[in-house]
Amino acid sequence: MKNGLKWGISSVFAIASFTILSKYLLQYFSVGWLLLASGLGIILLLEKAKKNWNVYKGWSKKEWKLVFALAMLSGAFNICFFLGLNFLPASIMTMLLGLSPLLLILRTCQIEKRKPMALEAASGLSAITGAYLMLGIRFQSYSLIGIACGIGALVFLTNADILQGRMREKINASEAVFTKQSSKILFGFIAILIWSKAPAFAPSSTAISWILLIMIGGLNMLGSFTVSKTAFALPPLPFVNILLLNLPIVAIFDIWLFNDYLRPVQWAGVSMMATSAIVGIYSGEERLEAI
């Protein structure tokens, strides 16, 4: 549990930094460029993957199918995430992803054929209340396309989290990261072909913009690794609730950098979702049976 909390807290800061920087760069780069950049960290894993190739050749069809499923879920999540972030304030996009614990509770109970425990139910109720306070009061002012993409990202993320946690006896954290990075490269190229918008920025900011884009890759690599370590160490609900703690950080920087003002009732929603996260971390939920 302690190792999981340690990796989880590291993930919170990595994800918050990645989200804010991505929101800033979407002013200059298309979704495809950010997807491609976020997968650049795969370069650091190529040598290890080469050394382990004999191990991978011994994998059964089941293991390859699981890896393929994780790659597709991760890639679909990332493209929905960047599209949603392009149309919505970073805090609202983060809030939508913050509903993942609620879906996880429902899915976990379905897998284990049981009813939600008291703290699981309390965590889910707090998350719903927080989301309503954040989104409901200004729903009409937000892009429906962005909300649809956010919901898509939520669904893909939840399923990827469950699958990753249950694959812990099949692959290790670095292999999970390699899989997710590969999917970002693939989906990035596809997105560039679909949305072929060339990078657009003032000449004076060209070098800085490209440097920040490269930083996206480093932050995403760090986040992918710490998230994978957290997923392998903790049950699904504590895992995603730790990551939800990045919402207050994103909300503060959203106001500071992008002037996306949150009303007092929306800040109450942020508090409710943070409370949901803390309750979920100590819910007592056990790890799902490995595949």
Side-chain angles (χ1 to χ4, degrees):
M1 182 70 172
K2 288 183 179 180
N3 284 335
L5 290 173
K6 178 185 70 175
W7 288 116
I9 295 300
S10 301
S11 300
V12 166
F13 290 101
I15 292 172
S17 302
F18 174 78
T19 302
I20 292 298
L21 185 55
S22 296
K23 179 65 177 178
Y24 173 77
L25 288 176
L26 280 168
Q27 301 173 84
Y28 309 106
F29 295 94
S30 66
V31 168
W33 282 99
L34 264 72
L35 260 173
L36 195 60
S38 66
L40 288 178
I42 197 173
I43 296 171
L44 302 176
L45 297 173
L46 289 176
E47 185 63 28
K48 188 170 184 179
K50 183 179 178 181
K51 290 180 179 178
N52 291 340
W53 181 243
N54 288 332
V55 176
Y56 304 149
K57 286 194 296 185
W59 280 359
S60 65
K61 286 185 178 180
K62 180 180 180 180
E63 287 160 329
W64 281 112
K65 286 179 180 178
L66 290 172
V67 167
F68 178 78
L70 179 61
M72 292 300 101
L73 287 171
S74 177
F77 157 70
N78 278 282
I79 200 166
C80 286
F81 170 77
F82 283 121
L83 284 172
L85 197 61
N86 190 48
F87 289 103
L88 294 173
S91 56
I92 297 301
M93 186 61 198
T94 303
M95 178 276 296
L96 288 172
L97 296 182
L99 291 174
S100 181
L102 178 62
L103 294 188
L104 268 173
I105 292 169
L106 299 175
R107 181 64 178 136
T108 300
C109 291
Q110 182 185 28
I111 292 172
E112 296 183 336
K113 297 179 180 178
R114 63 173 176 83
K115 294 181 179 180
M117 295 183 291
L119 288 182
E120 287 177 329
S123 176
L125 181 60
S126 183
I128 292 174
T129 304
Y132 174 76
L133 292 175
M134 284 193 70
L135 185 63
I137 190 174
R138 294 173 60 186
F139 181 81
Q140 293 182 339
S141 66
Y142 296 126
S143 165
L144 291 179
I145 295 175
I147 292 173
C149 290
I151 293 172
L154 168 63
V155 172
F156 291 126
L157 174 65
T158 303
N159 284 282
D161 288 341
I162 290 175
L163 178 60
Q164 185 172 270
R166 300 190 73 191
M167 287 172 64
R168 63 184 181 271
E169 294 182 4
K170 300 294 183 182
I171 64 174
N172 58 38
S174 64
E175 290 164 349
V177 173
F178 187 88
T179 298
K180 291 187 285 186
Q181 295 297 98
S182 300
S183 73
K184 290 165 191 170
I185 298 291
L186 173 62
F187 278 76
F189 278 119
I190 294 173
I192 287 175
L193 291 175
I194 297 174
W195 299 287
S196 56
K197 174 181 139 185
F201 31 70
S204 60
S205 63
T206 300
I208 295 175
S209 298
W210 282 103
I211 290 171
L212 291 176
L213 185 66
I214 294 172
M215 285 178 61
I216 283 283
L219 280 170
N220 194 266
M221 180 69 176
L222 174 63
S224 292
F225 181 74
T226 56
V227 165
S228 294
K229 294 287 284 187
T230 309
F232 287 167
L234 294 176
L237 189 58
F239 159 58
V240 295
N241 274 292
I242 287 179
L243 304 187
L244 176 56
L245 291 175
N246 78 94
L247 175 57
I249 301 173
V250 171
I252 291 171
F253 278 89
D254 216 4
I255 294 173
W256 181 33
L257 295 177
F258 309 114
N259 297 318
D260 287 318
Y261 174 74
L262 291 180
R263 298 179 182 178
V265 69
Q266 290 180 295
W267 277 111
V270 172
S271 299
M272 289 295 293
M273 297 202 78
T275 301
S276 164
I278 295 170
V279 172
I281 291 170
Y282 295 100
S283 65
E285 181 182 271
E286 297 181 356
R287 301 173 74 180
L288 286 170
E289 182 181 352
I291 295 174

